[in-house]
Amino acid sequence: MCSSVFFGQTDVMWCQRGFLQTVRRMSTSRQAGVLFDVDGVLLRGGSLIPAARRAFRKLLDRNNNFLFPVVFVTNAGSCQRHHKAQQLSHLLDVQISPEQVVLSHSPLRMLKSFHDKCVLVSGQGPLTDIANSLGFQKVVNVEQLREHHPLLDMVEHGPRPKPPSSPLQTLPQIEAIILFGEPIRWETNLQLLIDVLLTNGSPAGVHAPAALQLPVLACNIDLMWMAEAPSPRFGHGMFLLCLESVYRKLTGRELQYEALLGKPSLLTYRYAERQLRLQNHGRKLSTVYAIGDNLMTDIYGANLYDRYLSQQHAAMTTTTKLVAQGTGSQVTMAVPEEEELVSAAAQCRSILVCTGVYNRGDGNMAVSESVFHGHRDLALDLELVEPHHLVEDVEEAVDLMLQQENLTSDL
């Protein structure tokens, strides 16, 4: 349940009531659950895609109760989940609780071994508050780092910033870096992140790369995402590409990640299934439907999770190695300390819509060895970017799902 650590008292009460009502409304447990992407499937920027409202009318019974457990899985990460739940509730005219929202950074709650470390956070939005809500106790943001070390940021060639009039409290040594999303000032963030990495967490010092790199946890590896513009926009994956290139150019080594979170990370899908089971009275689901618009995140991730489920049902155990394979990484990835993420669904079916990054008539969206928009640490596996179903929009996706589950008579 929600805690006052995350929200104010009013928000906590709303959260608890909303989620309990969501669970109680589902009088009988279902065999299927639904994972909805948001941008490109339900929204374009801040505007609702018309098919989304029609789709959600079909997902509700006569008492406005969801026919299935529903979770919204988005690679957005510049807000907290209760804000996203309120936005979706308003736009879709359906009560959605914070527990039904999985943001790119949500699985960080499970990586408790980092919660007592001093972490530098990069991105935009209320990052310190977000990090605190996830359990991190010692948080430094890039603006604080820039304020304490004004000579590090040389992006502007005009008058240099003046030193603070009074000495600032010394910042602790940084022990890990969390990349929440694309920042506003890319050059500043690139420079200061490199300073932290090459000084082992003490950016006021001289660059002297240590043998053991600081842990880096990256949320959202989307190369592009769909807003109101006619073509996709740069996502956090593009910023990561720049950071990796700069680090490799300066050190001759590859930047290593402790964890890659958000879709298509296996950990994110395990966490999302856990949220579906909470709505389903703890009972396992036979099928999880994952609806998205991006081949390299939504479809790759859903198919990867489907493969993982089939392997698990073939008596494979959940190990650090499997979590690493879940992001295609060759490095050992951070794993949650909690045992609640044991997956129980039988299969995950991917459904690709044509209202976002993927456009049926756009040949540039094809995936091949020469055009691969996935992150550097994702293995190129063409089977993983082949959706189980291709539909025009989210309404058609819901129609397909209802037909598959023989629930058209419930409408």
Side-chain angles (χ1 to χ4, degrees):
M1 298 305 299
C2 295
S3 161
S4 58
V5 174
F6 306 143
F7 325 112
Q9 185 174 0
T10 302
D11 285 333
V12 171
M13 293 174 63
W14 180 87
C15 165
Q16 291 173 334
R17 285 200 303 268
F19 186 58
L20 286 174
Q21 289 171 2
T22 299
V23 173
R24 288 169 181 164
R25 286 186 320 219
M26 299 173 59
S27 56
T28 59
S29 62
R30 289 295 190 184
Q31 293 298 305
V34 195
L35 303 179
F36 282 102
D37 181 34
V38 176
D39 293 304
V41 174
L42 305 177
L43 307 179
R44 288 282 294 266
S47 302
L48 189 71
I49 294 174
R53 182 166 283 126
R54 298 194 301 269
F56 272 76
R57 289 197 191 106
K58 296 180 179 182
L59 270 180
L60 300 174
D61 65 16
R62 295 178 181 83
N63 298 316
N64 286 328
N65 303 325
F66 279 117
L67 296 173
F68 303 98
V70 170
V71 168
F72 301 86
V73 186
T74 171
N75 273 353
S78 60
C79 66
Q80 298 196 49
R81 58 180 184 171
H82 66 290
H83 288 137
K84 181 59 72 173
Q86 290 171 349
Q87 178 200 27
L88 292 172
S89 296
H90 172 71
L91 290 172
L92 295 170
D93 196 24
V94 179
Q95 183 177 324
I96 297 165
S97 72
E99 285 84 356
Q100 290 177 274
V101 174
V102 175
L103 302 170
S104 62
H105 52 65
S106 294
L108 287 173
R109 299 173 187 275
M110 319 302 285
L111 303 185
K112 295 185 177 181
S113 61
F114 289 93
H115 288 181
D116 61 352
K117 297 183 184 297
C118 179
V119 297
L120 173 67
V121 295
S122 169
Q124 53 186 293
L127 294 183
T128 299
D129 291 340
I130 292 172
N132 290 153
S133 75
L134 294 168
F136 295 92
Q137 302 166 23
K138 294 178 284 186
V139 181
V140 176
N141 60 48
V142 171
E143 284 304 315
Q144 288 175 308
L145 201 63
R146 184 170 178 261
E147 182 181 0
H148 278 75
H149 306 292
L151 299 181
L152 295 182
D153 183 10
M154 298 296 291
V155 172
E156 296 184 21
H157 293 179
R160 301 307 308 148
K162 296 179 180 180
S165 56
S166 57
L168 299 173
Q169 183 180 358
T170 303
L171 292 176
Q173 182 172 352
I174 293 165
E175 300 172 276
I177 294 172
I178 302 177
L179 306 174
F180 278 97
E182 62 271 22
I184 296 175
R185 293 169 57 100
W186 282 38
E187 304 94 333
T188 294
N189 281 258
L190 285 170
Q191 176 70 76
L192 270 61
L193 287 168
I194 289 293
D195 287 332
V196 169
L197 285 166
L198 299 190
T199 59
N200 200 36
S202 302
V206 177
H207 287 187
L212 191 62
Q213 180 204 294
L214 281 180
V216 177
L217 298 91
C219 308
N220 180 5
I221 60 176
D222 277 347
L223 190 74
M224 298 184 293
W225 68 289
M226 202 67 188
E228 290 96 340
S231 298
R233 303 293 87 196
F234 290 169
H236 191 214
M238 199 70 77
F239 177 79
L240 297 180
L241 180 64
C242 295
L243 179 63
E244 293 156 9
S245 298
V246 172
Y247 185 84
R248 183 175 60 253
K249 190 72 171 179
L250 293 177
T251 67
R253 305 192 309 229
E254 295 289 348
L255 180 69
Q256 301 297 320
Y257 293 95
E258 190 76 14
L260 296 173
L261 304 175
K263 297 174 292 186
S265 164
L266 176 61
L267 182 57
T268 293
Y269 283 86
R270 294 171 65 201
Y271 186 85
E273 188 195 330
R274 170 183 179 267
Q275 299 306 104
L276 288 174
R277 287 202 314 271
L278 287 176
Q279 294 177 52
N280 207 40
H281 311 289
R283 297 181 178 89
K284 69 178 183 180
L285 303 162
S286 62
T287 303
V288 173
Y289 295 93
I291 303 172
D293 70 303
N294 193 324
L295 286 172
M296 287 313 310
T297 52
D298 304 308
I299 303 307
Y300 189 108
N303 290 345
L304 183 67
Y305 194 53
D306 183 57
R307 179 180 294 180
Y308 167 76
L309 291 172
S310 64
Q311 290 173 341
Q312 181 175 260
H313 289 297
M316 293 189 68
T317 57
T318 304
T319 65
T320 303
K321 182 179 179 182
L322 272 179
V323 175
Q325 291 172 346
T327 54
S329 175
Q330 301 304 310
V331 300
T332 299
M333 308 296 285
V335 294
E337 298 175 0
E338 311 215 4
E339 295 299 324
E340 301 177 27
L341 293 186
V342 175
S343 302
Q347 61 182 356
C348 181
R349 304 288 88 175
S350 58
I351 305 177
L352 178 65
V353 301
C354 302
T355 52
V357 170
Y358 181 82
N359 185 321
R360 202 190 297 261
D362 188 353
N364 293 326
M365 289 295 103
V367 177
S368 66
E369 292 184 6
S370 59
V371 181
F372 181 60
H373 291 169
H375 184 264
R376 176 202 71 186
D377 290 350
L378 289 179
L380 173 58
D381 186 336
L382 295 181
E383 288 185 2
L384 294 179
V385 292
E386 187 68 33
H388 291 106
H389 304 282
L390 174 63
V391 297
E392 191 61 35
D393 54 33
V394 67
E395 183 183 17
E396 191 174 329
V398 167
D399 287 341
L400 171 67
M401 184 181 58
L402 292 173
Q403 182 181 15
Q404 294 283 319
E405 298 298 316
N406 297 315
L407 278 177
T408 53
S409 60
D410 288 0
L411 300 179

